[in-house]
Amino acid sequence: RREGAVDPVFLTGQGVGGLVTELPVELTLELLQRGQERYDIFCAVCHGHTGAGDGMIVSRGFPAPTSFHDQRLLDASVGYYFSAMTNGFGRMYSYASRIPPEDRWAIAGYVKALQLSQNAGLDDVPTDVRLELENSEGRVR
């Protein structure tokens, strides 16, 4: 009632065909920055700042979560991450009462960007940017 008529996809991460593969909100730099901020607060303690599953509590003896860079999670949709935060998964409890849906989407978008940043190669750099780097630094390694 507080929000009015909200698309169920926004609240559940579920579309007609299952978990959604696209963000139901606009992907902006501000959204990713908000996602990083919220991730650092709620997620990094377990998942680590790079998503490797090596957060602070792991160093204190808690079992490590699966790395976000594991192929299964690299292949997971953005809706999967939203659903895991909403409903909990394994040892992770639900964050639905702690993180509003718009922030869960921001975190899910950030996790996908984090995965890309940690697994990108030279072929992922746009040609014009790569040429500019080669001209400014001599040679890209």
Side-chain angles (χ1 to χ4, degrees):
R1 291 185 334 187
R2 181 184 93 212
E3 301 291 331
V6 177
D7 184 354
V9 170
F10 181 77
L11 298 174
T12 65
Q14 294 276 337
V16 174
L19 294 171
V20 296
T21 58
E22 300 288 328
L23 287 171
V25 295
E26 183 181 359
L27 179 60
T28 64
L29 179 59
E30 292 77 23
L31 181 84
L32 291 177
Q33 289 171 334
R34 176 71 177 188
Q36 180 181 21
E37 176 189 63
R38 303 283 92 187
Y39 176 91
D40 287 348
I41 292 168
F42 292 103
C43 311
V45 67
C46 295
H47 293 282
H49 290 284
T50 64
D54 58 354
M56 177 60 73
I57 66 162
V58 175
S59 67
R60 303 275 197 261
F62 197 85
T66 303
S67 169
F68 287 142
H69 310 295
D70 179 80
Q71 192 61 52
R72 178 181 67 83
L73 293 180
L74 286 169
D75 294 339
S77 69
V78 70
Y80 171 84
Y81 293 101
F82 181 87
S83 178
M85 286 180 272
T86 302
N87 302 307
F89 187 88
R91 289 181 184 91
M92 186 176 106
Y93 51 82
S94 167
Y95 279 88
S97 65
R98 296 166 181 84
I99 306 173
E102 52 274 8
D103 283 347
R104 281 181 267 148
W105 283 117
I107 293 168
Y110 175 72
V111 167
K112 295 305 284 181
L114 181 64
Q115 289 173 323
L116 179 62
S117 76
Q118 299 299 303
N119 294 286
L122 188 56
D123 291 338
D124 296 312
V125 178
T127 304
D128 59 326
V129 174
R130 190 169 48 222
L131 290 173
E132 183 180 325
L133 288 171
E134 288 172 350
N135 290 335
S136 67
E137 295 181 19
R139 186 167 170 230
V140 176
R141 296 178 190 152

